[in-house]
Amino acid sequence: MLGQVIASGLAMGCIYALVALGYAYVWNTMAIVNFAAGEFLTFAAYVFVATCTTSLGLPFWQALLLTAAAMAALGALFSRLVFARLQRQRALVAIIATVGFGIFLKEMARIIYGPEPLLYVSPFGDDMLDFGGFRLSVQQLLIMVVVVVIMAAQYFVPRYSMIGKIMRATALDRETAALMGIPVNAVLAGTFAFSAVLAALAGILLAPLFYVTTEMGTLVGLKGFVAMIIGGFGSVPGAIVGGVLLGVIENVGAFTISSTYKDAIAFTILLVFLVVRPEGLIPERSADRA
Amino acid sequence: MTSFLRPVAWLLIATAIVAPIAMGMNTYYLHILNLAWIFAIAALGLSVATGVAGQIVLGQAALVGIGAYATALLMMRLSLPWWLALMLAMMLTGAVGAALGLISTRIKGHYLAIVTLALNEIFRIVAVNEEALTGGPMGLRNIPTLSIPGLGETVTQQLYLPLAGLMFASYALMILFHRSALGRELRAVRDDEMAAEAMGVNSVRAKTIAFMICSLWAALSGGLYVLLVGFVAPTNFTIAESIKMMLMVVLGGLGSVPGTMLGAIVVTILPEALRDLQTYYMAAFGAAVVVIMLLWPKGLGVFADWLWGSFLTGRREPEMPALAGPLSLAAAAAAASSALAAGSAAPDPSGSLMRVRKVSRSFGGVRALNDVSFDVMRGEILGLIGPNGSGKSTMINACSGVVVVDGSIELESHPLQNRPAWEAHAHGVARIFQNVRLWESMTVLENVMVAWRRIPGQPGGEAAIREASLAALEQMGVRHLAMRQAGDLSFGQSRLVEMARAIVGRPKVLLLDEPAAGLRGGLVLELSTILQRLRAQGMTILVVEHRIKLVTSMCDRVVVLNLGDLIADGAPATVMESPAVIEAYLGERAGEASDETRARRIRRRSVDHVAAHG
């Protein structure tokens, strides 16, 4: 039974890892935390289910690509309009502004797509695959495959390549980066678009597991942030490790301690980490110090 | 014009508040207004913690909830009278706030935002699940409400005026707090925490107080809500409510206490006024937050601050005529030199005041200080010189408690090493920073007043602090800037204000990290005269400086650092001729050039250095 609990925790952990990865990339280029990440996830799930699948009738992969492209465009647009201007501000101002933007996005989803929860049936069916000690649904397996693919991409585009350096330089001092010939605005928009795509993937993958509601992303977004703190603020491998670990601990905790307090478990883990190991499991040098 | 407009504006506000009840507005709208007053009180707490003290709290609704549930349970289970229940609930929530404050000394910025959000969510989960205590998702019902017969028929009417009055009284109290000594300390922590600590602000105490104030108002607001409506449920205290309260503070101009009141009223009443547009309302608000943060950061605070006028800012000094030159120290230097001439000569250096023993500090693999030992004699001006990267600033930081070091630093037998910076300040160590660190949103006068330090036998109190601060500004020749905002000053002006801030507490030791940087050539010698005068007043001065001319003319003794090692200690003229010092500066073996050329080259180096870095 515990094997089963760990396996489904692993799937949820992969979702947290996707969101956490988005936080890490935005932090590494803009030095701000996008508190609207959960709402990007929500919005993407709506676009995928309501617009691409139901209205346009696209098959899964086309719908996925179209949603990712739409969210990338949205991410790039808002990075240019809003987030690029926030870097110079105090952390307080940036946090509040991104929270405000999250409300805007969530409400826009409600205005455009209505308040009723949407049901999305996975095209891969809900068969359970037996792995001996535990069983996984096809959807859960898909989630893990997607995250492993992204991790592999991470590995083949090494962290210390030119792209990594450009992102860091942009985060540290945008003006100097521009003077050194870095196309700063393109870097910012690109990073943000990428993090929006990660959130979109998380939303698309979550859609068949839960109903699509305006609230679906809020807690996932917060837990993704918790995952990044556990893994190490701004650390890319940390985000993945932290996300997977959080998913597993949360599920095991819910199973062994109390399922009513499942959501509280993630935040308790956060508090424990902030006291015991505030720099996270895989610390990043340019981290925001607690 | 303004003196006439302000009373008229207040008259209109008073009329607008009394009119609904006097004209018998329907109960529903009165209820909305009552909620606006209650929300304004909750937002007031948030305004102090987030706006004034800069500690981001995204879980204010949970604190309101704790106050509300506690009030309700104390009244229902223990049958306590409402006022006692309310007071106990406030004490309980205040304790929660104090705990949060202690957490906030370890956790800052983004971490604090997520922790407070998380606590809000945990509160909601507990309230929903612990049915035996909280009544679960349905909440607690039939809580006795407060009734004041004689003020109307329904509870809504009866409580309308008392709530409005209480709300105004709360704001008046917090506006007075904002301009009090403690209020200034909170703002200093918000603007620059490290500078605040170095200038004597106990940031742990300041933050804990900020969070306690935040939770006390939250609890009052929650308790009043219970007394007004007679029930509580978890849905009243969700993260969305917390964000709504943050919205009130932001709309009121983050940091403006009076603005928060207007923000709360707008955020509560506008949804009702725009009921037909309800669908778009929250989306518009979300967008509005972003736009306000980016384009109109002062929000409604502009109008609200004007309304409260001098009640908000305190008495203002009459504006002094602007000086003809850009920045002049002539008058201040003349005053200093005549005082020097009139008074006794500088006290002879006698006995050691500060003992630095075997102080070491590494940053990564770099050894910034390596077993450095020297004494600072009472009443001397000691120069601390050395090439770039020799550890001068680290030494200053160690003496003021800003960096942790191995070894010991004692001031008159008080250990200073590895103690909080504010303790060093309390013992009489004041400093300026290499890169000016003023609290930019505060006035110049407030900047100086924060650093005032109580000396036994000297008068205290607001008036005395103000007098002493103005005198310090006068001594540094910048009194005419007293009412300017510190962020508006030029680098040279800021430097002098920072000097005034350092000397206002009559420190025993004054640590100056490149005081002449940013000053024109002529001003440098005048500054030197002013330092002589400070020494005559009983301050001992440790100065890091690059201009050898200034060092030799001003310092009684010089200590030279190179790559973290102390390489010379003695009279300026002797030290300048020391082979080790010459080698450190010029990187060549002594004896290859005549002493005269070497000394000249040192001077030129230092001038080049100033040109490059000053």
Side-chain angles (χ1 to χ4, degrees), chain A residues 27 33 82 86 92-93 95-97 100-101 103-104 107 110-111 222 225 233 260-261 263 267 274-275 288 290, chain B residues 50 56 106 110-111 114-115 117-118 125 129-130 190 243 246 250 254 279-280 282-283 286-287 290 293-294:
Chain A
W27 176 261
V33 171
V82 178
L86 287 175
L92 181 68
V93 173
I95 291 170
I96 294 170
F101 183 69
I103 297 176
F104 173 74
E107 292 299 314
R110 197 172 54 80
I111 291 167
L222 286 181
F225 188 37
F233 214 103
T260 41
Y261 284 100
D263 288 332
F267 298 122
L274 285 177
V275 173
D288 185 33
Chain B
T50 302
I56 188 153
R106 286 185 59 114
H110 296 106
Y111 295 85
I114 184 85
V115 164
L117 264 179
I125 296 169
N129 289 307
E130 295 302 313
R190 171 192 65 190
I243 289 172
M246 184 56 82
V250 170
L254 202 55
T279 328
Y280 302 100
M282 276 311 285
V290 180
M293 292 317 290
L294 287 178

Side-chain angles (χ1 to χ4, degrees), chain A residues 181-207:
Chain A
I182 295 173
V184 167
N185 281 330
V187 172
L188 295 182
T191 315
F192 209 88
F194 182 58
S195 90
V197 168
L198 290 175
L201 278 178
I204 292 167
L205 293 170
L206 267 186

